[in-house]
């Protein structure tokens, strides 16, 4: 049997050969699948850290005063200020309560540099410190190891060449490099984690990150630096592939919108990531060689780091969300069987967002920079909101007079529209100077970016995973249980994060391990949020089991189960090693549902309008 | 908090809790209006979009064998409209928000200037008369200093940090400003009404019981000052009370904080432990935990020095007055076993000589050795007695102080 006609998941005769066919593969689909497995593992690891964070906040810390007999004499839970009759009872020991992460004592060994004598001592790591590591772990893993590669490197890798009608990406070897660099960077991150983790927050703000005595910052920063190369390589590969490898007959405006989104994303990845790389290297130099760049004690400037960091990390927000936009465009068009409304507006708004995203970085610094700069960046920030709003209108308009299949991907598209619209609409309060001063660095911001990143990208990613699952695995998943899982995720997500907007307006700062005991609203809202996080866990576990069940016991999937018109539905399921039997011919645009009949699909399931003119 | 009190406060305050906290400053009202404008405009927008989405989902649900109607996939007037209308809304938000913000970025003339120093992990207010706060309160799991500010006139906060970036945040005033090492930033507020009153009996600022029900509910005990920029281990415990006092009360409270002469050494040391930034890292419990070593039982123990340039110097020390003094002013001179590499902020110029002695006396009183504890008490009592004698005998000029006194002038 010729390799070219086997589907890409087929074994190679022996286990060893099959494994080697993955390890040294240049096949974009295999690389994409390996990426997918890795990012899903990272998602669960980062999610566990988030559950720990939520558990810690279930109730505030308080102090109990215990006498010599071990009896609790008083506590500070009901403490109401200096006017109350609360006094610390004589002869009692205060003990910290209400903490999920207790203080732990670790053994230290110190070596006297003169004599080489080693002395053992002990040192206490506070529960706060462990909480701080947990949220840093959550942020770092979710940003650098999950959400940035999730859509482009996993789903994008699998489908970008197929949707363009190409055999592979332009540089298959670079693609494999990108994967191994990701793996190497991920190992650095895991190493930093095993060594005890990092507690700087994923933003690594100086001078805290350049002076903190809790180590591993260098390892974690290097991990992010290495992962940046992986991201750049994927971006370069996609740009060249889109320019050079479109099947003959496919013009720029015949490309699926997922490709447009990945193209815009790739531009940002290539242009912005080097800035982060060099910034992180500077932090390493400052920590290691005491070169004063960001630390005022060494003659540096602390705010400079924030400029450099956000010059990458704000565009990075669009690296995370634009591919999500692309997925939603695909899902809505296919499952509504409708030409997407305002195709060019969506395509151009992706490019516009990519361009403007480079001009808004300093809105992360409204409380740290000059008021004049604030005005400029406030205005620029509102500019980026306009193309984003246009996309939402286009998606909802596409549903008008369409034929909507109630499938899991479409359900997720609706969840996306719901959550992302909330995420988008809570942007303007943060862009408005007078209001942002109050909301900056509070839970309002936490809720806002989780609605965009999780309610946006993650929901789109899970939707896209269901949309393309039958195609790239060749297996059908259980629609009922996927729907159940989807609803639980949706409810859990909103329960967790919606209340956080109000925590923010109430003034609860972010990254807090505890909060005052005498503000009842804080405690109630945090409890609600924590319960929501448990629902989220349940929902994602259901999805995991649905996918595992599908792989192990799922029925063989049809070639075009949704009746899609883009090229990936024309090939075999799962796709052939070189994607297509022969080069596909463009007979219709990606969304010509009014005029073109889907191939490989039952015409009875996907009828055409009765007055359909013949395909041109 | 029990579930029943939680649910009752939920019932009464649920609606209030969804919005901004009490408006404590002269200009916060306009900020609220802008937020509510954006909120309700967004809410209306959201409802329209979601109603359309759900309606389309139900109305255009796929029916077997029926194809979708052919309809337009492009409509220029509609697309222009939905680009321009949000743009107008955003323009209103931008101009209103900037208009309200810019004047508040400039501190009014004649504002009371308070120097605010942030450090890991405590705030310190230094008032125009040189005083710092000696009053403390329990918040969460920490006993933290309380800071008073006057009502009815602008207060300028001159912010700086001694270590990493912190952020000065008082929700009720709607102010937030980052504090940097080696750089000053400012923000200001004008508190509307007093939240506390000054009790001359014990010299403490106490909250008004507004409802006169003997209970102090949320919002009745003054405001919180938070650190809003992540700054390490006890970031979340950089939460302090802000008490707004009427002008005469404020002056009386300030005078009380300023005059530490009459406070015996031991009491002063115990107070400074809580208000001077020590408690953030050092416990006073046996085996207590923190970023730095517990002070309990360290008096008289041996401490290695950091490797000196000149091997004869700084080979080590035992914990005594001189050691404590050096460790506060130049913390990197020695280290406690198990805490090598821990960076303590420098406190040079922060404490007066008498305050340094007070802290040393307090640490001595935490010794395991009863004799040392007794000596600390004697030292404190003797100094108080000598001072009383000196005050009484000032006219006669007959005071005989074996231990010459440095006048306590904080900030001098």
């Amino acid at each position: 049997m010729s390799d070219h006609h086997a589907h890409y998941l087929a074994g190679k005769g022996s286990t060893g050969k099959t494994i080697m066919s993955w390890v040294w593969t240049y096949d974009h689909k295999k690389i994409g699948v390996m990426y997918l497995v890795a990012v899903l593992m990272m998602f669960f690891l980062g999610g566990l850290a988030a559950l720990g964070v939520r558990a810690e906040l279930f109730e505030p810390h308080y102090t109990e005063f215990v006498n010599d007999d071990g009896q609790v004499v008083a506590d500070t839970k009901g403490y109401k200020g200096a006017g109350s009759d609360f006094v610390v009872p004589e002869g009692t020991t205060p003990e910290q309560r209400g903490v999920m992460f207790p203080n732990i004592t670790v053994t230290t060994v110190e070596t006297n540099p003169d004599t080489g004598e080693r002395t053992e001592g002990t040192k206490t790591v506070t529960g706060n410190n462990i909480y701080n590591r947990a949220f840093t772990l959550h942020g770092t893993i979710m940003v650098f190891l999950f959400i940035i590669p999730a859509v482009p490197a996993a789903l994008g890798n699998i489908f970008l060449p197929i949707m363009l009608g190409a055999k592979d990406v332009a540089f298959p070897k670079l693609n494999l490099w990108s994967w191994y660099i990701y793996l190497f960077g991920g190992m650095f991150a895991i190493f930093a984690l095993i060594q005890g983790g990092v507690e700087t927050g994923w933003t690594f703000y100086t001078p805290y990150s350049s002076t903190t005595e809790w180590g591993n910052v260098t390892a974690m920063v290097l991990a992010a630096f290495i992962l940046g190369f992986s991201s750049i390589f994927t971006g370069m590969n996609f740009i060249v592939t889109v320019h050079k490898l479109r099947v003959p007959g496919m013009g720029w405006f015949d490309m699926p919108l997922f490709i447009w989104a990945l193209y815009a994303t790739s531009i940002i990845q290539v242009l912005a990531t080097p800035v982060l790389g060099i910034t992180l290297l500077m932090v390493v130099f400052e920590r290691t060689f005491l070169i004063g760049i960001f630390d005022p004690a060494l003659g540096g400037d602390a705010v400079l780091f924030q400029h450099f960091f956000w010059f990458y990390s704000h565009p990075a927000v669009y690296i995370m969300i634009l591919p999500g936009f692309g997925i939603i465009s695909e899902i809505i068009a296919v499952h509504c069987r409708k030409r997407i409304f305002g195709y060019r507006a969506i395509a151009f708004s992706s490019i516009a967002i990519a361009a403007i995203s480079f001009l808004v970085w300093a809105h992360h610094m409204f409380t740290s920079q000059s008021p004049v700069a604030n005005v400029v960046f406030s205005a620029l920030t509102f500019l980026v909101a306009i193309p984003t709003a246009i996309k939402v209108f286009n998606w909802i308009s596409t549903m008008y007079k369409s034929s909507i299949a109630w499938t899991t991907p479409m359900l997720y598209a609706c969840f996306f529209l719901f959550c992302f619209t909330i995420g988008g609409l809570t942007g303007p309060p943060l862009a408005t100077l007078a209001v942002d001063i109050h909301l900056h660095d509070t839970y309002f911001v936490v809720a806002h970016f989780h609605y965009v990143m999780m309610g946006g990208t993650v929901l789109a990613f899970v939707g896209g995973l269901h949309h393309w699952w039958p195609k790239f695995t060749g297996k059908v998943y259980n629609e009922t249980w996927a729907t159940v899982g989807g609803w639980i995720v949706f409810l859990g997500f909103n329960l967790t994060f919606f209340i956080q907007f109000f925590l923010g307006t109430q003034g609860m700062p972010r990254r807090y391990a505890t909060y005052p005991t005498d503000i009842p609203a804080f405690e109630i809202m945090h409890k609600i949020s924590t319960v929501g996080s448990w629902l989220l866990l349940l929902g994602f576990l259901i999805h995991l089991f649905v996918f595992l069940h599908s792989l192990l016991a799922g029925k063989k999937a049809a070639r075009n189960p949704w009746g899609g018109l883009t090229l990936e539905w024309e090939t075999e399921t799962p796709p052939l090693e070189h994607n297509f039997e022969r080069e596909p011919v463009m007979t219709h645009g990606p969304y010509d549902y009014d005029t073109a009949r889907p191939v490989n699909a039952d015409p009875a399931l996907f009828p055409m309008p009765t007055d359909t003119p013949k395909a041109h | 908090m029990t579930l029943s009190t939680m649910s009752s406060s939920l019932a009464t305050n649920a609606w209030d809790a969804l919005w901004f906290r009490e408006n404590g400053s002269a200009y916060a009202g306009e900020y609220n209006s802008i937020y509510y404008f954006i909120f309700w405009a967004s809410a209306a927008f959201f409802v329209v979009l979601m109603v359309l989405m759900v309606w389309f989902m139900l109305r255009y649900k796929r029916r077997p064998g029926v194809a979708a109607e052919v309809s337009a996939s492009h409509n220029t007037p509609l697309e222009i409209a939905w680009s321009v209308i949000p743009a107008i809304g955003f323009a209103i938000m931008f101009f209103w928000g900037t208009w309200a913000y810019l004047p508040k970025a400039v501190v009014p003339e004649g504002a009371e200037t308070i120097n605010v120093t942030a450090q890991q992990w405590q705030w310190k207010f230094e008032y125009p008369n040189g005083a710092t706060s000696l009053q403390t309160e329990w918040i969460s799991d920490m006993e933290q200093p309380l800071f008073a500010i006057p009502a009815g006139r602008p207060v300028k906060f001159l912010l700086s940090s001694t270590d990493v970036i912190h952020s000065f945040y008082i929700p009720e005033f709607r102010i937030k400003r980052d504090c940097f090492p080696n750089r000053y930033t400012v923000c200001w507020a004008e508190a509307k009404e007093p939240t506390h009153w000054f009790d001359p009996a014990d010299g403490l600022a106490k909250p008004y019981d507004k409802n006169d029900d003997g209970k102090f509910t949320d919002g009745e005990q003054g405001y919180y000052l938070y650190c809003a920029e992540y700054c390490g281990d006890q970031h979340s415990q950089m939460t302090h009370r802000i008490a707004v006092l009427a002008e005469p009360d404020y002056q009386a409270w300030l005078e009380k904080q300023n005059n530490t002469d009459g406070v015996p050494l031991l009491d002063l040391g115990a107070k400074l432990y809580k208000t001077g930034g020590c408690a953030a890292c050092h416990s006073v419990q046996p085996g207590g935990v923190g970023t730095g070593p517990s002070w309990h039982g360290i008096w008289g123990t041996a401490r290695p020095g950091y490797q000196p340039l000149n091997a004869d110097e700084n080979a080590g020390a035992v914990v005594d007055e001189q050691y404590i003094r050096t460790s506060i002013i130049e913390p990197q001179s020695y280290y406690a076993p198990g805490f090598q590499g821990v960076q303590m902020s420098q406190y040079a110029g922060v404490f007066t000589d008498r305050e340094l002695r007070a802290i040393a006396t307090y640490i001595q009183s935490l010794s395991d050795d009863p004799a040392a504890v007794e000596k600390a008490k004697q030292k404190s009592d003797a100094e108080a007695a000598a001072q009383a004698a000196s005050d009484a005998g000032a006219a006669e000029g007959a005071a005989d102080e074996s231990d010459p006194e440095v006048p306590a002038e904080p900030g001098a």
Side-chain angles (χ1 to χ4, degrees), chain A residues 96 126 199 338 440 512 518, chain B residues 71 141 176 221 230 233:
Chain A
Q96 204 185 28
T126 65
E199 34 71 81
K338 188 83 185 166
H440 204 91
Y512 265 33
D518 60 351
Chain B
S71 65
D141 51 349
K176 188 179 288 127
Q221 337 54 286
Y230 175 69
D233 200 354

Side-chain angles (χ1 to χ4, degrees), chain A residues 325-362:
Chain A
F325 290 167
I327 291 177
I328 294 303
S329 299
E330 293 306 315
I331 292 180
I332 289 186
V334 172
H335 294 262
C336 294
R337 298 196 46 70
K338 188 83 185 166
R339 178 188 285 274
I340 201 102
F341 193 94
Y343 171 95
R344 286 189 186 221
I346 295 185
F348 283 130
S349 66
S350 286
I351 303 295
I353 289 171
I356 304 172
S357 74
F358 279 95
L359 305 175
V360 299
W361 77 89

Side-chain angles (χ1 to χ4, degrees), chain A residues 79-80 96 114 126 128 199 208 335 337-339 342 367 374 404 437-438 440 502 506 512 518, chain B residues 18-21 60 62 71 73 101 138 141 169 176-178 216 221 224 227 230 233 237 307:
Chain A
Y79 180 57
K80 294 297 181 193
Q96 204 185 28
D114 284 345
T126 65
N128 274 349
E199 34 71 81
Y208 186 71
H335 294 262
R337 298 196 46 70
K338 188 83 185 166
R339 178 188 285 274
T367 61
N374 281 353
I404 304 174
I437 296 304
H438 176 65
H440 204 91
F502 301 104
Q506 282 275 305
Y512 265 33
D518 60 351
Chain B
L18 296 184
W19 311 105
F20 282 138
R21 292 182 70 73
Y60 301 112
R62 185 170 299 172
S71 65
S73 63
Y101 163 78
W138 279 91
D141 51 349
Y169 177 35
K176 188 179 288 127
R177 189 75 180 137
D178 288 5
F216 293 93
Q221 337 54 286
Y224 278 117
C227 175
Y230 175 69
D233 200 354
Q237 276 94 332
Q307 187 55 33

